[in-house]
């Protein structure tokens, strides 16, 4: 392994904040009416006020909370904190109108514009990339069962040390990321390594909060995916591994039973098949 330096929370937080800004997700916000802003924001504030009353929050606690909020911003951890504790509820709302493959949260570590790769491929990785080899194969179809040729399986994952390229030092850009294009049968076969459980950085404000509350900071091992094809609704999802640690207690509350893979050993590697189904846009 080439990595000697431990990534810091501040480092990955700043990168996640920068990646979020670069994605320009605010486009469309101008359409929101004053009525909508008022009703949603009033409900959020009412919830906070109710918690303060119910738990008789004191001045020292209030000031500590203010300090913590300042640190979340300074450490660039708003994407991390929000995606871990809030995004799954927004995803639940989106899922109510979505057919086909189940979705899950995007999380803070997606990077667009990665290398385009052929249908049968190996994800970009270091020559000495540690980890258990995994072959992840399948087909992309529409809700009528027709194969989607030229669909894009945009995949990213952590390495055997638990870190994502672009959000930790000493990992080459694009490592364990890629946009795999399906063949004329809508098929793909991706050779990679097994991802490992992800620990929320314990040295930043999100980690400090989790520790102060006595919670655990772990997500189960997962592959992240965006699957898209022209004329179809893009799916944002994650795939997990049967029997894996933290599967039933994901700190980000983002697992679903339909998204659990169960790889089998074949020729000394793990292999698993999983098909994606996209609905019309
Ligand atoms: C992750 O790797 C992740 O997927 C989410 C949702 C939050 C924090 C880290
Ligand atoms: Fe992740």
């Amino acid at each position: 392994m080439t990595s000697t330096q431990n990534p810091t929370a501040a480092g990955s937080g700043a990168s996640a904040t920068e990646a979020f800004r670069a994605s320009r997700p605010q486009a469309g916000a101008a359409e929101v009416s004053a009525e909508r802003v008022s009703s949603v924001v009033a409900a959020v504030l009412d919830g906070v006020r109710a918690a303060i009353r119910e738990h008789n929050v004191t001045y020292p606690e209030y000031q500590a909370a203010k300090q913590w909020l300042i640190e979340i911003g300074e450490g660039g951890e708003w994407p991390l904190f929000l995606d871990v504790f809030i995004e799954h509820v927004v995803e639940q709302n989106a899922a109510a109108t979505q057919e086909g493959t189940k979705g899950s949260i995007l999380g803070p570590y997606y990077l667009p514009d990665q290398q385009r790769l052929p249908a049968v491929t190996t994800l970009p990785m270091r020559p000495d990339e540690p980890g258990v080899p995994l072959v992840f194969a399948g087909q992309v179809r529409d809700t009528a069962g027709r194969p989607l040729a030229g669909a894009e399986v945009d995949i990213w994952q952590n390495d055997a040390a638990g870190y994502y390229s672009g959000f930790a030092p000493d990992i080459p850009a694009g490592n364990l990321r890629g946009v795999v294009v399906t063949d004329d049968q809508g098929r793909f076969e991706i050779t990679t390594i097994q991802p490992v459980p992800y620990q929320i950085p314990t040295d930043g404000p999100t980690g400090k909060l989790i520790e102060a509350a006595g919670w655990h900071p772990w997500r189960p091992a997962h592959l992240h995916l965006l699957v898209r094809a022209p004329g179809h609704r893009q799916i944002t999802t994650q795939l997990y591994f049967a029997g894996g640690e933290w599967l039933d207690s994901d700190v980000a509350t983002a697992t679903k039973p339909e998204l659990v893979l169960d790889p089998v050993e074949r020729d000394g590697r793990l292999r698993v098949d999983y098909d994606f189904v996209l609905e019309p846009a």
Side-chain angles (χ1 to χ4, degrees):
M1 226 172 85
T2 53
S3 184
T4 49
Q5 203 182 333
N6 260 349
T8 62
S12 77
S15 303
T17 295
E18 186 44 46
F20 176 75
R21 284 196 172 124
S23 73
R24 297 179 37 79
Q26 70 277 19
E31 301 158 22
V32 179
S33 68
E35 287 76 12
R36 176 76 175 162
V37 173
S38 178
S39 51
V40 175
V41 175
V44 171
L45 293 174
D46 280 348
V48 173
R49 293 174 187 130
I52 291 169
R53 283 187 201 104
E54 185 185 343
H55 297 281
N56 194 22
V57 170
T58 65
Y59 259 105
E61 288 168 339
Y62 171 67
Q63 302 297 11
K66 201 186 291 182
Q67 179 61 33
W68 179 84
L69 286 163
I70 290 167
E71 285 167 16
I72 282 276
E74 286 176 347
E77 285 200 1
W78 278 116
L80 177 69
F81 175 78
L82 291 171
D83 295 351
V84 167
F85 290 110
I86 304 292
E87 189 184 353
H88 69 96
V89 189
V90 183
E91 196 284 322
Q92 223 169 54
N93 285 349
T97 65
Q98 184 170 303
E99 287 177 81
T101 302
K102 297 288 181 196
S104 184
I105 63 178
L106 178 68
Y109 299 142
Y110 174 65
L111 292 174
D113 306 320
Q114 298 302 303
Q115 204 180 315
R116 278 174 73 85
L117 301 163
V120 178
T121 193
T122 299
L123 286 190
M125 62 176 80
R126 293 160 284 193
D128 55 350
E129 191 71 47
V132 180
L134 171 72
V135 178
F136 168 57
Q139 187 183 39
V140 182
R141 294 187 296 269
D142 66 14
T143 43
R146 291 177 292 239
L148 291 170
E152 294 182 350
V153 179
D154 192 344
I155 182 170
W156 69 106
Q157 64 169 95
N158 65 8
D159 66 13
Y163 300 121
Y164 287 87
S165 63
F167 300 90
D170 302 335
I171 305 176
N175 205 245
L176 298 175
R177 296 175 183 270
V179 179
V180 180
V181 181
T182 61
D183 69 12
D184 56 7
Q185 294 299 312
R187 297 194 173 278
F188 62 89
E189 185 185 288
I190 302 167
T191 299
T192 181
I193 57 156
Q194 261 229 300
V196 301
Y198 178 84
Q199 184 180 27
I200 307 300
T202 52
D203 60 332
T206 305
K208 292 274 155 56
L209 170 71
I210 289 169
E211 191 188 357
W215 303 334
H216 82 249
W218 291 94
R219 298 208 62 224
H222 55 277
L223 298 168
H224 287 274
L225 298 132
L226 297 179
V227 184
R228 54 186 170 255
H232 295 78
R233 179 167 166 181
Q234 172 173 275
I235 289 206
T236 302
T237 196
Q238 300 187 30
L239 293 171
Y240 305 91
F241 295 88
E245 222 177 343
W246 316 111
L247 198 54
D248 299 319
S249 63
D250 180 6
V251 67
T253 326
T255 64
K256 295 181 185 181
E258 299 88 345
L259 299 176
V260 179
L261 304 174
D262 195 2
V264 295
E265 207 177 315
R266 200 196 279 183
D267 309 326
R269 300 160 136 193
L270 293 173
R271 180 181 168 109
V272 69
D273 287 71
Y274 191 88
D275 297 343
F276 297 98
V277 177
L278 304 189
E279 66 176 327

